[in-house]
């Protein structure tokens, strides 16, 4: 999806704990939670492993909300796609 990890790391198969014990936040979530040096801190029994640059998850006309990204083994109930301005 082209989401930039600006601090820390992305999820990896090399870390067996990532699906259940790791979380990635966006910049807005870090600011709203008031977390300083977020890497390695815990939120709801999950370790913050990365921070991503804010991106529009909804309308480009709305504010970017705080976001947490988790891995899951559940079936996806949403589809995300990127749109290119070129055909």
């Amino acid at each position: 999806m082209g989401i930039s990890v600006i601090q820390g790391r992305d999820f990896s198969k090399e870390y067996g704990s990532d699906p259940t014990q790791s979380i990635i936040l966006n910049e807005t979530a870090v600011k709203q939670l008031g977390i300083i040096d977020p890497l390695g801190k815990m939120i709801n029994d999950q370790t913050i492993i990365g921070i991503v640059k804010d991106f529009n998850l909804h309308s480009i006309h709305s504010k970017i909300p705080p976001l947490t990204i988790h891995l899951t083994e559940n079936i996806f109930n949403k589809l995300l796609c990127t749109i290119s301005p070129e055909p």
Side-chain angles (χ1 to χ4, degrees), residues 56-63:
N56 285 316
L57 182 62
H58 304 289
S59 167
I60 61 172
H61 303 288
S62 61
K63 284 184 155 184

Side-chain angles (χ1 to χ4, degrees), residues 21-79:
Q21 298 175 5
S22 300
I23 190 170
I24 295 175
L25 305 177
N26 71 348
E27 295 169 298
T28 298
V30 172
K31 288 176 193 168
Q32 285 193 9
L33 291 168
I35 302 172
I36 298 173
D37 297 324
L39 297 181
K41 301 267 173 70
M42 302 291 287
I43 293 181
N44 296 330
D45 297 326
Q46 294 183 312
T47 303
I48 301 170
I49 61 166
I51 308 301
V52 295
K53 187 167 182 56
D54 281 342
F55 61 95
N56 285 316
L57 182 62
H58 304 289
S59 167
I60 61 172
H61 303 288
S62 61
K63 284 184 155 184
I64 296 174
L67 176 71
T68 60
I69 302 171
H70 311 260
L71 284 182
T72 180
E73 294 178 358
N74 296 332
I75 297 173
F76 291 100
N77 61 3
K78 292 187 170 62
L79 173 68

